[in-house]
């Protein structure tokens, strides 16, 4: 069915599917004054016979580089690795998970429900606003009105029994690959002690034989894939363990709040007093030397810290190892609380602080930040686990995909306002998943009123009816849904994969597409001005594309095209049948048109040789250009015209400020203001040209990805709009040069490879729904907001993250859980329309202490960073900085006033928020928000883009880099992945006091890694890892670890490689010495230390304390 | 007589133009909020262009009304000031300052006054705009009757 003027056929594979789009310019059929063909040799060229092979001969290229050379080495006819990567059997990029412990954590409590509702524990009035600038609702920023949804949900009905007999075969089925994982009846033993689940879920999730196999859950675990035969082994409850103990998942701030515990555990032995005080300090591998070995001139410890930093006993086992091997029972080192005994449930947290014998949940343990120094867990901080019943938590969405800042949702907006914490979701919806259940179904079961997809958190009233968990409407179960293709049984709708998996993908039936799915279309827009040729990026780009041309995601309809531009726009006719590519130059940049609309985008499979010819000759073609101007705006307009009939992806490579034609920009940066402590200007775009063009692109399903390779100011704030509103991505390589910056070149190569071969979804929309009563009000990321809950994403890529802010419009009084559902509808590169659905379920709580105990500090930091970026663009940078500081002050004040009953001196925080001030300080010192340190405007804007666009895990590395000591790596506690041994040094605090001259330290900031070599570094490390005889011989620009055949070298390389494998982009590595220029960058990341313009961590804490006690 | 003039003119103004513009705003925001009702239709890529054009069109219309509304309101404040209608002026001053604040806190990229199509669909902004329109409608309605009253009063006492 063709609509809206698209004359398109589907699946013909001819490459001529879109013959004449509506916006192609008929002018091109005439003789054009502004066009000159064939490198200006031939004055006239008739573009009419575009379909026929044009005459070859004079007037084409200078012949030498364009002889049709048979493809040689770069052509790889091997098996394509990008067959659809989302199908369960074919992981495209099997990566280890991003955090240590496996994600499917069982809940700590086997208690059947959050229990009887209790009134809020504290009757304290809301704390006074500490400051005027804050993110919380104020008269200037009114919250959404509460009158939108005003019907209270009906009460949950009791379940009725399942008794409908089978009714024969139905047409519904699941993908064969997904159904390979046959559920085997797991042993009942692990559940024998579990109390029966709560009523409303009992039909949906019966404990016992109905448990889904773990292999359907879709997330790999490091090295140890859970055997499908016995899926519950990692989740086994230990009978001797008190059921209400503190969270067992390592040092994470999780755990059931005290008043949610209705019953004492049946078998728990009170072990509260038996555990020694939590070991602190660097007890792990990366033990720095004694104090005398520290660098002398670095600041010593502030007095308040010294008593707390004495190292305690060393664990016999590495924490990461423990986390990997026994993730639910391990004893985390610095924050371990003894598994709580069956003490009184309402024990106040402050009592817990006074006596170590309490049973306060770990997340609410009171930490005096001024006294406890070593707050950083030795392994990456895991996400807290929502306090849900076990059966719900087990199937809940992976926190890497879907995460909420508060894992316990407050009942009312006033409660949320009192807690002073931001409420929002962080999503990574198109993340590469190694296992994803895919369902093919003729009907996709959705709620009839709110269109929610059926998910594990709905309740089945009986076998024929289910109740939506978002709007509480009762729906019928369709006949097809009664058949369960996994167990091949009838009459068990609650065992279908849709109801067993929180993340699932549907292959959409035809009613989800009113036009045929678009083919994969890639257009490359390349800057070939003098500046661009100087950087030498064209070589790298062409070579990368040649290498990966067969790995581009797509099918037989895939199309590619090329446009180059300097002061004129050059098109390339790649029509099948030509012997050489043909260059068409349009110099009329004011009124851009397409010279031959049909043959500029060609089918990749049919014209592969021409494309390869072009790529081989392109770098040399402009080698001697003297053109310095850049007409980027016109080139983008031309590219938009070319792509608008089909939609697709436009990759723009730009190396300088566009200074010609439409969209020309002026340099706005004053280098003298880079280090200014005053407000930073020019963070918002200078022109709305790029924004408007991006909207046009979004309307035609075109996404623009921007690669900026420039040494000078390029006004990313303006240029970035083109990607931001068309759901593209931005890559920035400052000071890229093919000779002077080899690390950048390597990063560019690796990024390009990933960019070209990664999965892609076209013409996508994402809708985020949430339970009635909650409402989403602000979105962060790269997209266009098409409706209040619908994001328009012309392209979606696996490296894009999103964040949303929410408010509570109606009271959630009678709900125990709320759910969020993100549904991403996209066209895969194979031309299938697919829907990926993620559902997250969270408990609702009514007391402030519960809210605090469920706070997810990393998610809060990520969301605050997004909000601060918005604030610094709309208001000012200092405003944003104040607001971030106030966020920390407000939440800690609220905690102190409302949750703590006994006031103590010091800066008190619940254990789950203990890293909050550190992260806020890290944000204040982040490139995006810092003041007083020289920061180029483009660097700053790029950091802001990344904070908004990156998934949380990568953004956290940008905010708070990880520091490891790597000169003494051992195999103790190492991970073993694919027969590689990967040592796991502990994460160190970002303070110079942790450095020592005898060591070598690796700092991982996400996109860059620094390996700092101490002056007195052990010669063994220098020779065995770096391959140099002594410290002085360490080269200045070392960016590769030599591949030496020594154990130390292998360990170090394995560790660095493992870190790199965890993320989709390629972090470059710089080996730096004390004299290196990059040492300043390294030292700037030491965020706990004082700099000339910023507070140290201790001073920041004192500042917070002062504000809080005011 | 000169005392009657501002009241008379502003009565006409508030009675007609500002009400019309505000009512139009309310309708426009309502239209922005209601997308295509059929969700399958809504997620259809061919609808995207239509919808985006629609949003841009509405935003353009809204923006075109901003300057006339603000300037006419400012003009009447000026007239009240000249006529010495201090009470009336006092009633209008807050709105005047609000308008000034609104006008000078617009996005920095040149042409746009406000109602940026890329951000207007964020629910908080939309809600804010909608609430603003309703409040203004109420204010203009009340002031309409007040001006009517003052005009009649002035005429009677004249």
């Amino acid at each position: 069915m063709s609509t809206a003027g698209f004359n398109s056929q589907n699946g013909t594979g001819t490459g001529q599917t879109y013959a004449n789009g509506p916006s192609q310019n008929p002018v091109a059929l005439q003789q054009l004054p502004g066009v000159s063909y064939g490198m200006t040799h031939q004055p006239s060229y008739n573009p009419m016979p575009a379909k026929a092979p044009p005459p070859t001969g004079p007037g084409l290229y200078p012949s030498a580089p364009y002889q049709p050379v048979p493809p040689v080495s770069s052509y790889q006819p091997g098996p394509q690795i990008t067959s659809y990567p989302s199908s369960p059997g074919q992981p495209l990029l099997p990566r280890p998970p991003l955090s240590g412990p496996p994600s499917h954590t069982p809940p700590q409590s086997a208690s059947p429900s959050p229990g009887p509702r209790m009134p809020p524990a504290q009757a304290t009035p809301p704390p006074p606003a500490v400051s005027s600038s804050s993110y919380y609702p104020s008269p200037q920023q009114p919250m959404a009105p509460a009158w939108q949804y005003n019907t209270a949900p009906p009460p949950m009905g009791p379940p009725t029994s399942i008794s409908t007999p089978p009714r024969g075969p139905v047409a519904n089925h699941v993908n064969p690959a997904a159904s390979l994982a046959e559920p085997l009846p797991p042993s009942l033993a692990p559940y024998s002690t579990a109390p029966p689940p709560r009523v409303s879920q009992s039909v949906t999730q019966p404990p016992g034989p109905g448990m889904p196999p773990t292999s359907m859950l879709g997330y790999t675990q490091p090295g140890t894939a859970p055997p499908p035969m016995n899926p519950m082994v990692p989740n086994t409850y230990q009978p001797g363990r008190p059921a209400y103990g503190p969270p067992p998942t390592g040092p994470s701030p999780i755990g059931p709040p005290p008043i949610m515990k209705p019953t004492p555990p049946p078998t728990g032995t009170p072990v509260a007093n038996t555990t020694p005080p939590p070991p602190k300090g660097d007890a792990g591998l990366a033990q720095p030397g004694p104090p005398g070995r520290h660098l002398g001139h670095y600041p010593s410890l502030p007095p308040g810290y010294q008593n707390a930093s004495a190292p305690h006993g060393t664990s016999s086992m590495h924490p990461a190892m423990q986390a990997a091997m026994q993730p639910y029972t391990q004893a985390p080192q610095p924050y371990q609380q003894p598994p709580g005994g069956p003490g009184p449930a309402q024990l106040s947290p402050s009592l817990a602080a006074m006596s170590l014998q309490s049973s306060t949940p770990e997340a609410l343990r009171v930490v005096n930040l001024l006294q406890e120094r070593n707050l950083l867990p030795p392994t990456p901080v895991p996400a807290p686990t929502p306090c849900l019943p076990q059966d719900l938590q087990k199937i809940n969405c992976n926190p890497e995909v879907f995460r909420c800042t508060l894992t316990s949702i407050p009942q009312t907006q006033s409660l949320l306002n009192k807690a002073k914490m931001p409420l929002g979701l962080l999503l990574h919806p198109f993340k590469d998943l190694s296992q994803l259940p895919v369902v093919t179904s003729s009907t996709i079961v959705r709620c009839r009123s709110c269109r929610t997809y059926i998910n594990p958190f709905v309740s089945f009233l009986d076998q024929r009816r289910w109740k939506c968990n978002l709007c509480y409407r009762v729906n019928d179960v369709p006949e097809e849904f009664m058949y369960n293709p996994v167990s091949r049984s009838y009459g068990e709708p609650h065992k279908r994969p849709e109801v067993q998996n929180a993340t699932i993908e549907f292959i959409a039936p035809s009613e989800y597409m009113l036009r045929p799915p678009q083919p994969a279309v890639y257009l490359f827009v390349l800057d070939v001005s003098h500046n661009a040729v100087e950087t030498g990026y064209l070589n790298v780009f062409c070579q990368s594309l040649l290498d990966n041309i067969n790995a581009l995601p797509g099918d037989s309809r895939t199309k590619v095209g090329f446009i180059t531009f300097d002061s004129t726009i050059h098109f390339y006719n790649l029509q099948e049948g030509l012997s050489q590519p043909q260059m068409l130059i349009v110099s009329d940049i004011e009124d851009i048109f397409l010279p031959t609309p049909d043959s500029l985008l060609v089918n990749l499979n049919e014209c592969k040789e021409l494309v390869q010819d072009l790529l081989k000759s392109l770098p040399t073609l402009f080698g001697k250009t003297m053109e310095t101007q850049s007409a980027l705006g016109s080139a983008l307009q031309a590219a938009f015209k070319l792509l608008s009939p089909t939609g697709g992806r436009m990759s723009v490579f730009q190396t300088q400020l566009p200074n010609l034609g439409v969209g020309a920009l002026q340099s706005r940066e004053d280098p003298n203001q880079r280090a200014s402590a005053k407000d930073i200007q020019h963070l918002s775009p200078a022109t709305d040209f790029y924004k408007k063009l991006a909207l046009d692109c979004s309307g035609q399903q075109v996404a623009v990805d921007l690669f900026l390779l420039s040494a000078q100011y390029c006004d990313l704030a303006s240029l970035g709009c083109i990607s931001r509103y068309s759901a593209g991505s931005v890559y920035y390589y400052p000071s890229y040069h093919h000779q002077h910056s080899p690390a950048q070149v390597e990063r560019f190569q690796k990024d390009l490879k990933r960019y070209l071969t990664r999965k892609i979804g076209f013409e996508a929309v994402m809708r985020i729904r949430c339970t009635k009563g909650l409402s989403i009000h602000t979105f962060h990321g790269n997209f266009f907001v098409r409706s209040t809950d619908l994001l328009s994403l012309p392209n979606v890529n696996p490296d894009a993250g999103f964040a949303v802010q929410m408010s509570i419009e109606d009271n959630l009084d009678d709900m125990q859980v709320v759910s969020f559902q993100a549904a991403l509808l996209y066209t895969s590169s194979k031309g299938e329309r697919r829907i990926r659905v993620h559902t997250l379920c969270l408990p609702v709580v009514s007391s402030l202490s519960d809210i605090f105990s469920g706070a997810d500090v990393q998610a809060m930091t990520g969301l605050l960073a997004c909000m601060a970026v918005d604030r610094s663009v709309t208001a000012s940078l200092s405003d944003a900085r104040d607001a971030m500081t106030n966020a920390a002050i407000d939440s800690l004040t609220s905690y102190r006033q409302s949750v703590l009953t006994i006031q103590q001196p010091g800066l008190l925080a619940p254990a789950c928020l203990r890293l909050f001030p550190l992260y806020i300080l890290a944000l204040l010192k982040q490139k995006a928000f810092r003041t007083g340190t020289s920061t180029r405007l483009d660097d700053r804007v790029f950091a802001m883009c990344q904070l908004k666009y990156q998934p949380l895990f990568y953004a956290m590395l940008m905010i708070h880099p990880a520091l490891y000591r790597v000169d003494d790596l051992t195999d103790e506690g190492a991970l073993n992945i694919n027969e590689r041994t990967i040592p796991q040094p502990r994460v160190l605090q970002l303070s110079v006091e942790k450095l020592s001259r005898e060591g070598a330290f690796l700092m991982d900031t996400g996109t860059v890694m620094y390996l700092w070599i101490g002056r007195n570094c052990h010669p063994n490390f220098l020779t065995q890892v770096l391959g140099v005889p002594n410290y002085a011989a360490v080269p200045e620009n070392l960016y590769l670890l030599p591949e030496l055949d020594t154990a130390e070298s292998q360990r170090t390389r394995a560790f660095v490689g493992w870190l790199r494998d965890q993320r989709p982009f390629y972090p470059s590595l710089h080996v730096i010495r004390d004299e290196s220029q990059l040492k300043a960058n390294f030292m700037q990341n030491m965020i706990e230390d004082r700099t000339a313009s910023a507070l140290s961590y201790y001073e920041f804490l004192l500042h917070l304390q002062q504000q809080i006690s005011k | 007589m000169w005392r009657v003039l501002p009241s008379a003119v502003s009565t006409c103004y508030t009675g007609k133009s500002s009400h019309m513009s505000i009512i139009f705003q309310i309708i426009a925001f309502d239209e922005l909020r209601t997308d295509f009702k059929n969700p399958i239709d809504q997620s259809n890529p061919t609808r995207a262009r239509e919808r985006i054009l629609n949003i841009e069109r509405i935003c353009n219309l809204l923006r075109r009304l901003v300057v006339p509304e603000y300037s006419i309101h400012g003009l009447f404040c000026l007239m009240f000031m000249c006529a010495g209608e201090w009470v009336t002026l006092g009633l209008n001053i807050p709105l005047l300052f609000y308008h000034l604040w609104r006008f000078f806190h617009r996005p920095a990229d040149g042409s746009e006054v406000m109602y940026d199509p890329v951000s207007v669909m964020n629910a908080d902004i939309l809600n804010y705009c909608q609430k603003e329109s309703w409040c203004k409608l109420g204010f203009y309605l009340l002031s309409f009757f007040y001006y009517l009253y003052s005009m009649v009063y002035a005429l009677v006492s004249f």
Side-chain angles (χ1 to χ4, degrees), chain A residues 403-405 424 426 856-864 952 956:
Chain A
R403 206 158 158 177
C404 184
T405 55
L426 289 106
D856 181 345
V857 65
Q858 289 198 317
M860 281 167 59
T861 311
L863 187 66
L864 280 174
L952 181 66
M956 277 319 292

Side-chain angles (χ1 to χ4, degrees), chain A residues 107-111 195 237-246 256 261 263-268 340:
Chain A
Q108 295 78 45
S109 161
S111 106
Y237 260 71
Q238 296 187 346
R241 186 172 159 267
Y244 300 108
K261 299 169 184 166
T263 54
T267 59

Side-chain angles (χ1 to χ4, degrees), chain A residues 6-17:
Chain A
F6 295 104
N7 303 319
S8 51
Q9 308 158 338
N10 188 12
T12 55
T14 61
Q16 297 293 338
T17 32

Side-chain angles (χ1 to χ4, degrees), chain A residues 595-607:
Chain A
T596 56
D598 297 339
S599 51
L600 300 177
L601 273 182
V602 293
N603 187 299
L604 179 62
N605 293 324
E606 291 166 11
C607 306

Side-chain angles (χ1 to χ4, degrees), chain A residues 330-521:
Chain A
Q330 68 142 329
Q333 285 185 347
Y335 289 106
Q336 188 208 357
Q337 274 280 312
Q346 286 84 5
L347 199 60
S348 85
S350 52
L351 263 176
M354 295 170 69
S355 69
L356 281 171
Q357 312 173 358
S358 74
S359 66
T360 317
E362 169 62 27
L364 275 183
R365 187 172 63 88
V366 179
V367 179
N368 188 347
L369 296 175
L370 290 172
Q371 277 177 5
E372 290 193 38
R373 176 85 170 104
N374 293 297
L375 294 169
L376 217 55
T379 50
V381 184
T385 314
C387 177
L388 280 173
Q390 182 188 12
D391 51 348
L392 289 186
Q393 181 50 37
K394 203 170 52 214
I395 47 178
N396 217 347
C397 199
N398 185 345
E400 286 166 19
V401 171
F402 212 148
R403 206 158 158 177
C404 184
T405 55
L406 302 179
T407 52
S408 303
I409 302 290
Q411 257 185 357
T412 60
Q413 177 72 34
S414 62
L415 201 59
L416 176 62
N417 292 347
K418 217 187 267 181
K420 298 272 182 192
M421 288 191 284
L423 176 61
L425 300 171
L426 289 106
L427 293 97
H428 189 178
F430 205 51
K431 179 177 160 59
D432 285 323
L433 298 171
S434 52
Q435 277 186 315
L436 176 69
V438 179
V439 172
T440 313
S441 173
S442 56
T443 52
I444 296 178
V445 182
R446 301 173 69 176
C447 173
R448 268 196 292 161
S449 75
C450 67
R451 310 296 299 166
T452 300
Y453 297 85
I454 196 167
N455 59 69
F457 309 105
V458 302
S459 46
F460 281 88
L461 299 182
D462 55 40
Q463 214 171 6
R464 307 296 307 190
R465 291 183 304 156
W466 61 280
K467 190 199 258 174
C468 174
N469 56 337
L470 269 69
C471 69
Y472 300 105
R473 182 198 161 102
V474 176
N475 294 276
D476 291 337
V477 175
E479 183 61 39
E480 300 98 294
F481 205 72
M482 298 298 290
Y483 175 69
N484 183 0
V486 178
S487 63
R488 298 182 211 288
S489 59
Y490 185 84
E492 292 178 330
H494 52 278
K495 288 186 188 162
R496 281 191 52 112
E498 291 95 326
V499 192
Q500 296 287 358
N501 293 285
T503 293
I504 197 162
E505 190 154 283
F506 297 97
I507 295 181
S510 55
E511 73 244 32
Y512 286 82
M513 34 194 163
L514 283 190
R515 78 169 188 179
Q518 75 169 65
V521 181

Side-chain angles (χ1 to χ4, degrees), chain A residues 560-759:
Chain A
V560 292
F562 297 88
I563 291 178
T564 57
F565 66 97
D566 40 29
S567 62
T568 55
I569 316 293
H570 322 136
F571 297 91
Y572 294 89
N573 185 348
L574 300 167
Q575 181 71 29
E576 194 184 5
L578 285 178
S579 62
Q580 300 163 344
Q582 203 175 24
M583 185 195 220
L584 317 169
I585 300 177
V586 176
S587 54
D588 183 10
I589 59 167
E590 292 303 321
D591 182 20
I592 200 74
F593 57 87
L594 302 179
T596 56
D598 297 339
S599 51
L600 300 177
L601 273 182
V602 293
N603 187 299
L604 179 62
N605 293 324
E606 291 166 11
C607 306
K608 193 171 278 174
E609 293 195 4
L610 275 179
V611 171
Q612 285 167 334
D613 280 352
L614 176 65
L615 287 174
K616 281 173 196 155
S617 61
L618 208 52
T620 55
L621 201 55
F622 297 96
K624 296 190 176 56
T625 181
M626 280 299 147
E627 190 59 71
T628 56
Q629 289 182 306
S630 161
L632 176 67
S634 309
L636 288 174
Q637 283 178 331
F640 168 64
K641 280 188 181 173
L642 195 53
L643 280 181
S644 55
T646 54
R649 181 175 79 186
M650 189 195 301
S651 315
V652 181
F653 294 78
Q654 171 73 7
T655 61
Q656 58 171 319
L657 198 65
N659 50 11
L660 195 65
V662 289
L665 297 169
Q666 309 284 324
S667 178
R668 298 189 289 167
E669 188 185 29
D670 179 3
N672 299 325
Q673 296 294 313
R674 275 180 195 161
S676 153
K678 285 178 300 197
D679 259 347
I680 308 296
Q681 304 294 315
H682 308 308
L683 292 173
S684 52
T687 167
D688 61 350
F689 170 79
Y690 295 99
K691 183 157 75 182
K692 284 187 168 152
L693 190 58
L695 286 192
D696 291 341
C697 288
S698 182
Q700 300 288 10
Q701 306 295 342
V702 177
V704 186
D705 293 330
L706 182 65
F707 288 79
L708 202 57
L709 312 103
S710 167
Q712 284 99 37
Y713 175 67
C714 267
D715 202 350
L716 188 59
S718 303
L719 290 184
C721 286
I722 187 84
S723 297
R724 181 164 166 209
Y725 300 116
S726 66
S729 40
V730 179
Y731 295 83
Y732 180 47
Y733 304 90
S735 317
Y736 182 91
H737 193 277
H738 63 294
Q739 284 168 340
H740 302 158
S741 54
Q744 292 274 37
V745 174
E746 196 194 7
R747 187 156 78 90
F748 181 53
Q749 273 173 338
K750 295 280 169 54
D751 281 355
L752 261 184
K753 178 168 168 27
R754 162 79 182 163
Y755 173 76
L756 293 171
T757 56
R758 72 184 177 190
K759 230 181 113 167

